[in-house]
Amino acid sequence: MGPWLRIGLSALVTGTVASIVSTAALALLARAEGKSAFQPTNATSHWLHGDSAASHPEPDAAHTLVGYATHHASTLFWAMPFEVWLAARPPRTTAELLRDACTMSAIAAAIDYGVTPKRLTPGWELVLSKRSMAATYGAMALGLAAGALLARVWLGENGTES
């Protein structure tokens, strides 16, 4: 298998795991803040439906499916440079992998909320506290690291050592 195909497949696995983990975190954090578990995902569809998407508490295709698909595409996007980084500088330990995942997640947060036009942000700020948003990026980092480990097992590579 060529290196770019391996990176692409790894990014697919890594991004999918990061998407699932961060979406679960969003739901749990929203519930902890007294909101619907679906509101942060629905809020992500604000690029299409405007800020009112954040107040939609129920799951539906227009808000939840669009919001999740948008978030999933975003985590796949961030998984690609993460996997390129890992291919160029393979971490030797799980701690190094987690450090690299935290760095990528911090870069994603900085670009999502510091550079990206408001209409194209994740929209979580419309529903969640800054603390919960930071926790979600932490969950994303854990998902990136777990996904990278899973991708290495799935693709038959040696993983990092503990």
Side-chain angles (χ1 to χ4, degrees):
M1 176 182 317
W4 286 107
L5 179 57
R6 182 173 296 279
I7 288 169
L9 291 172
S10 293
L12 183 62
V13 173
T14 299
T16 297
V17 172
S19 176
I20 292 167
V21 170
S22 56
T23 299
L26 286 167
L28 291 171
L29 292 162
R31 294 297 299 143
E33 292 189 10
K35 308 280 175 59
S36 160
F38 297 99
Q39 277 183 266
T41 298
N42 291 344
T44 302
S45 72
H46 78 116
W47 65 268
L48 180 61
H49 300 293
D51 289 354
S52 65
S55 61
H56 193 79
E58 300 298 323
D60 67 9
H63 296 89
T64 314
L65 187 60
V66 169
Y68 182 75
T70 302
H71 176 61
H72 192 82
S74 175
T75 58
L76 291 175
F77 173 84
W78 290 112
M80 184 57 83
F82 180 61
E83 287 294 341
V84 168
W85 174 264
L86 295 180
R89 294 166 192 84
R92 291 183 307 252
T93 67
T94 303
E96 289 173 338
L97 175 64
L98 188 55
R99 175 204 62 205
D100 294 346
C102 287
T103 301
M104 180 54 61
S105 186
I107 291 167
I111 291 175
D112 284 351
Y113 284 103
V115 178
T116 303
K118 182 172 176 1
R119 186 70 176 222
L120 301 178
T121 67
W124 306 333
E125 75 282 1
L126 301 169
V127 177
L128 298 174
S129 66
K130 288 182 181 177
R131 181 181 213 166
S132 289
M133 290 168 50
T136 300
Y137 280 101
M140 180 180 160
L142 292 174
L144 287 170
L149 289 171
L150 181 62
R152 273 128 194 86
V153 169
W154 182 58
L155 293 172
E157 297 177 25
N158 291 330
T160 58
E161 297 176 18
S162 298

